[in-house]
Amino acid sequence: MPARRLSARWVLPMDGPAIEGGAALIDAGGRLAAVGPEAAVPRPEWAEAEDFPDALLLPGLVNTHTHLELSGFAAAAPEPDFAAWIRGVRARKAERGPEEYLAAARAGLAACHTAGVTTIADTGDSGAVVRALAEAGGSGVVYHEVFGPAPAQAGASMADLRRRMAELCRFAGGRVRLGVSPHAPYTVSGRLYSAVGQWARAEGLPLAVHLAESVAESALLADGTGEFAAAWGRRAIPLPDPLGHTPVQWLERHGVLGPDTLCIHVVRAGPSDIAQLAERGCAVAHCPRSNAAHGHGDAPLAALLEAGLRVGAGTDSVLSAGSLDLLAEARVARRLAGLDAPAALHLCTLAAAGALGLEREVGSLTPGKWADCVVVRPDPSRGADPAEQALASGPGDVVLTILGGRVVYRAGEAA
Ligand SMILES: [Zn+2]
């Protein structure tokens, strides 16, 4: 791999202030060797140099929640009945075979690169995304989903999870990490949560859970009412026992919460839930466009940040949010929590890396970290402030995406 030197009108390293007329030097091993003002960054003759005098250089973006195996399903507007929507997604998934899942995962990964995203945290149960990530030399955590709302299913679900993880572990390694995702409190019994949590801790695997997303999920656990409770009733699945918990309390009761637990959504969480998540050191994947599209409401982002939780932005699946535009999530997050532009950008760079425990490797243009970079050419009408310009950008403004020193997307070139 050639050494590279990139210079740009502005460099936003995210570990310090924006640098006007900055540059970054990438070594042949794919790591950042130097970042700073143009004059301070060496210009070795063997490095391929590219200058972007009208563009911004940022760290590659980190998307804390995707379902790339769902790429390519024609977008249908989320329906008001969330339980029915989930059943619809299940029905469409059942129509796909392994090769179609793999094609979807590859297409989804390419769409991430086009949008400037270089690290993902993905959940799914096809196994296609970890394979696509490994073959592309990508970066991320892939959480394999496990389901089973009836307590009597827990043993079979665990056996299936162990078998699938044994198959998939050959794709992990390097920058690709495997984890497990006991999907959500409305698809996983308390018994299965306990078993998965214990097993994951013993195996050193990170966890991801869809948590406190909908009114129906809270109602199921609080008093056994709502759409999910009705659906369980039709399948003769016993209600959660005992009732009377919030989703956060339910996972705490089953030993799922910890520093390696990524909690996705966290919309319906009150002050004591947030304090509990903070005490356990959990991280949060904040997906504001998905939450709005499903009518779940706004997550208490300001309170989550105030409590010191590690929070990163996530797009959720294209079926929910419509696109993998992470900066669009950051713009909504900014409005929800009254953030300034740099803080909103943090949610899809350094803070997102922190939510995944990857802050020593990615998330900022810091010498020694992986050379994951994105060059964005903003619309000149968006004012002079580089953070504002970056935040106002979208996938159509991305000029170049580099992952570990390798070009994975260049505007105008076919993938
Ligand atoms: Zn999701």
Side-chain angles (χ1 to χ4, degrees):
M1 195 160 52
R4 289 179 186 277
R5 189 181 190 281
L6 304 174
S7 47
R9 171 76 205 282
W10 285 98
V11 174
L12 286 83
M14 301 311 299
D15 63 352
I19 303 161
E20 187 167 11
L25 181 66
I26 300 170
D27 68 25
R31 298 238 177 208
L32 289 161
V35 179
E38 180 64 47
V41 175
R43 189 183 278 277
E45 59 186 50
W46 61 84
E48 282 183 15
E50 274 193 274
D51 185 28
F52 298 92
D54 56 354
L56 314 166
L57 178 64
L58 295 147
L61 307 180
V62 178
N63 189 340
T64 63
H65 186 47
T66 60
H67 293 261
L68 294 186
E69 69 185 15
L70 301 182
S71 302
F73 279 135
E79 53 183 294
D81 180 342
F82 186 57
W85 184 82
I86 294 272
R87 283 196 296 278
V89 172
R90 285 274 187 79
R92 296 172 81 178
K93 285 180 70 177
E95 294 165 10
R96 267 192 180 164
E99 287 307 313
E100 290 165 294
Y101 273 120
L102 187 57
R106 287 172 176 156
L109 197 55
C112 287
H113 295 159
T114 302
V117 170
T118 48
T119 293
I120 56 166
D122 190 271
T123 69
D125 69 342
S126 71
V129 174
V130 68
R131 181 173 165 190
L133 205 57
E135 72 185 15
S139 163
V141 189
V142 181
Y143 302 92
H144 191 72
E145 285 176 337
V146 56
F147 301 89
Q153 288 173 280
S157 293
M158 271 311 299
D160 189 50
L161 175 65
R162 283 203 187 90
R163 184 179 60 76
R164 294 300 311 278
M165 292 293 284
E167 290 165 8
L168 296 174
C169 68
R170 70 181 191 276
F171 299 117
R175 300 185 63 183
V176 179
R177 190 174 183 200
L178 263 179
V180 289
S181 177
H183 174 258
Y186 53 86
T187 55
V188 172
S189 66
R191 189 182 296 171
L192 183 55
Y193 266 126
S194 295
V196 174
Q198 271 181 23
W199 184 71
R201 299 260 144 69
E203 298 285 319
L205 295 164
L207 287 157
V209 286
H210 289 81
L211 184 62
E213 183 178 7
S214 63
V215 172
E217 175 189 332
S218 295
L220 170 71
L221 298 172
D223 53 12
T225 60
E227 294 146 9
F228 289 122
W232 282 23
R234 288 193 293 275
R235 294 168 61 193
I237 297 167
L239 288 172
D241 181 25
L243 293 168
H245 292 88
T246 66
V248 169
Q249 289 167 345
W250 186 244
L251 263 62
E252 168 65 11
R253 181 183 176 100
H254 294 97
V256 176
L257 303 178
D260 239 3
T261 308
L262 179 67
C263 301
I264 305 157
H265 296 294
V266 193
V267 175
R268 315 221 148 257
S272 62
D273 293 322
I274 293 171
Q276 181 74 73
L277 293 173
E279 192 186 318
R280 291 291 177 208
C282 298
V284 173
H286 175 58
C287 308
R289 289 194 309 154
S290 169
N291 296 338
H294 288 290
H296 294 323
D298 294 333
L301 177 60
L304 295 169
L305 294 169
E306 181 93 347
L309 284 156
R310 294 169 293 133
V311 181
T315 57
D316 207 345
S317 83
V318 289
L319 280 175
S320 292
S323 71
L324 298 171
D325 183 350
L326 193 61
L327 291 167
E329 304 292 344
R331 290 195 291 274
V332 181
R334 173 194 203 172
R335 207 172 57 237
L336 285 181
L339 306 174
D340 61 16
L345 287 175
H346 258 268
L347 292 178
C348 38
T349 54
L350 194 51
L356 304 180
L358 297 173
E359 69 280 6
R360 284 193 296 273
E361 292 291 325
V362 299
S364 63
L365 298 176
T366 305
K369 286 192 182 184
W370 286 111
D372 294 352
C373 328
V374 55
V375 177
V376 176
R377 185 171 289 132
D379 182 333
S381 69
R382 290 177 192 146
D385 181 77
E388 294 287 356
Q389 289 181 343
L391 192 60
S393 300
D397 303 310
V398 172
V399 178
L400 180 71
T401 306
I402 288 182
L403 196 160
R406 265 182 316 123
V407 175
V408 290
Y409 171 73
R410 189 184 290 273
E413 284 181 8

